[in-house]
Amino acid sequence: GESVGLHLPTLSVQEGDNSIINCAYSNSASDYFIWYKQESGKGPQFIIDIRSNMDKRQGQRVTVLLNKTVKHLSLQIAATQPGDSAVYFCAENTPPGGYIFGTGTRLKVLA
Amino acid sequence: DTAVSQTPKYLVTQMGNDKSIKCEQNLGHDTMYWYKQDSKKFLKIMFSYNNKELIINETVPNRFSPKSPDKAHLNLHINSLELGDSAVYFCASSQASGGDKLYFGPGTRLLVL
């Protein structure tokens, strides 16, 4: 199988608790941000996005918060389930059109 | 139907060989990308094409050459493979360059021996 990201920060939460995953971004000019979930052996999967004209956006069980002042992004997962176990990445857009990804956080859901 | 597909899924080869990875998207997107994910899960952009034109070419050895025959395909050819090329390579696409979410393929796991 795929090698394990031994240096990934890990967040362990109890099933049913809320999870908060944080991300600091680097480019003040970035105006679009995305959260991705990557399960073992799969490609990153879109969770939720937010544009810089918003501070908060909610989806189903997920909320993204954007603080442009301190260049901080967070993903909140409500009532975390075992299926939420994965590596989570934030991404910011950057000229001339690519996306820079954060280092990732491994979420472990404890039964 | 798979939105972004890549072949092969696994690629094991000897140092010095030349190999290609193919990518196709059926989403009608204008922009396609190649990303490399290392053993620490770090995702780094390599190339981006918009309507068959190269718009991003990060600091990647010139042994890596992308080719986009049409806007639905972006292939990656690698010459003279090295041990350090071992990684997972992801193709992705988006409708707009930098303003819309990326859709990723399942990845190609390359192991250079």
Side-chain angles (χ1 to χ4, degrees):
Chain A
E2 220 169 297
S3 59
V4 175
L6 296 175
H7 302 285
L8 274 180
T10 298
L11 174 67
S12 297
V13 298
Q14 290 290 335
E15 184 179 352
D17 287 352
N18 296 335
S19 303
I20 299 176
I21 300 171
N22 296 304
C23 176
Y25 64 92
S26 54
N27 191 343
S28 300
S30 297
D31 61 3
Y32 178 61
F33 305 88
I34 317 172
W35 278 100
Y36 282 91
K37 172 186 181 183
Q38 187 178 22
E39 296 174 286
S40 181
K42 296 184 179 179
Q45 185 180 20
F46 171 85
I47 303 173
I48 192 167
D49 57 2
I50 188 167
R51 299 197 185 271
S52 59
N53 60 353
M54 301 174 72
D55 298 324
K56 178 179 178 179
R57 190 158 188 235
Q58 287 184 284
Q60 189 176 11
R61 280 202 309 120
V62 294
T63 301
V64 55
L65 298 177
L66 175 62
N67 185 330
K68 295 180 286 292
T69 305
V70 294
K71 292 191 284 188
H72 184 267
L73 200 62
S74 68
L75 177 71
Q76 300 177 0
I77 304 173
T80 312
Q81 300 169 359
D84 295 327
S85 292
V87 177
Y88 289 81
F89 294 95
C90 65
E92 59 180 299
N93 68 341
T94 184
Y99 299 83
I100 292 177
F101 281 76
T103 51
T105 297
R106 186 179 298 281
L107 177 65
K108 285 189 175 177
V109 181
L110 308 172
Chain B
D1 285 342
T2 305
V4 182
S5 58
Q6 295 177 232
T7 54
K9 186 165 183 178
Y10 298 97
L11 188 51
V12 181
T13 189
Q14 297 287 333
M15 247 185 348
N17 284 349
D18 303 338
K19 290 293 178 187
S20 291
I21 308 172
K22 295 188 175 182
C23 178
E24 176 181 2
Q25 54 96 2
N26 63 7
L27 297 166
H29 287 166
D30 289 336
T31 309
M32 295 185 72
Y33 310 79
W34 277 108
Y35 277 84
K36 178 180 180 180
Q37 187 171 48
D38 62 21
S39 59
K40 295 176 184 170
K41 297 289 190 182
F42 186 63
L43 270 165
K44 184 171 167 55
I45 191 167
M46 300 173 69
F47 301 102
S48 171
Y49 269 73
N50 184 268
N51 272 319
K52 301 194 297 172
E53 287 190 22
L54 181 66
I55 57 170
I56 294 175
N57 182 353
E58 289 296 305
T59 309
V60 176
N62 57 14
R63 298 181 294 104
F64 290 78
S65 53
K67 283 195 171 43
S68 182
D70 55 61
K71 75 172 194 177
H73 295 85
L74 181 62
N75 304 323
L76 184 65
H77 188 76
I78 315 170
N79 288 329
S80 304
L81 278 155
E82 299 178 358
L83 295 177
D85 297 332
S86 296
V88 183
Y89 293 83
F90 286 102
C91 177
S93 73
S94 67
Q95 181 55 50
S97 175
D100 197 8
K101 54 183 172 274
L102 292 172
Y103 292 77
F104 281 88
T108 296
R109 286 139 190 86
L110 172 65
L111 178 60
V112 182
L113 302 174

